[in-house]
Amino acid sequence: MKIEFAEPVVHRAAYALANGDSRAAVYVSQARLVAGEAALLAARRSIQVHGAMGYTWEADLQMS
């Protein structure tokens, strides 16, 4: 759900930047916040799903 919630916020920021909107900095800050939270949750969940494999070199999850 966090990824789905972050998508329109990121799109709004990109649209504001492309069209020279005066509030683009605010939209980019919001997008950075929600996208960062979604990425962190996805990384934590992927390590949890993979169990101990997430902490080994056999899976690329150690880089998240």
Side-chain angles (χ1 to χ4, degrees):
M1 286 305 276
K2 281 196 180 262
I3 293 172
E4 292 296 321
F5 176 73
E7 186 177 357
V9 179
V10 172
H11 285 199
R12 179 180 63 180
Y15 182 83
L17 283 173
N19 292 306
D21 191 335
S22 62
R23 298 196 59 187
V26 174
Y27 296 146
V28 169
S29 295
Q30 291 172 345
R32 184 175 179 216
L33 176 66
V34 296
E37 288 176 351
L40 182 60
L41 180 66
R44 285 185 178 175
R45 296 285 187 228
S46 65
I47 288 175
Q48 192 171 37
V49 166
H50 285 83
M53 288 292 293
Y55 292 102
T56 67
W57 288 101
E58 296 172 18
D60 290 334
L61 296 174
Q62 79 278 3
M63 293 187 283
S64 51

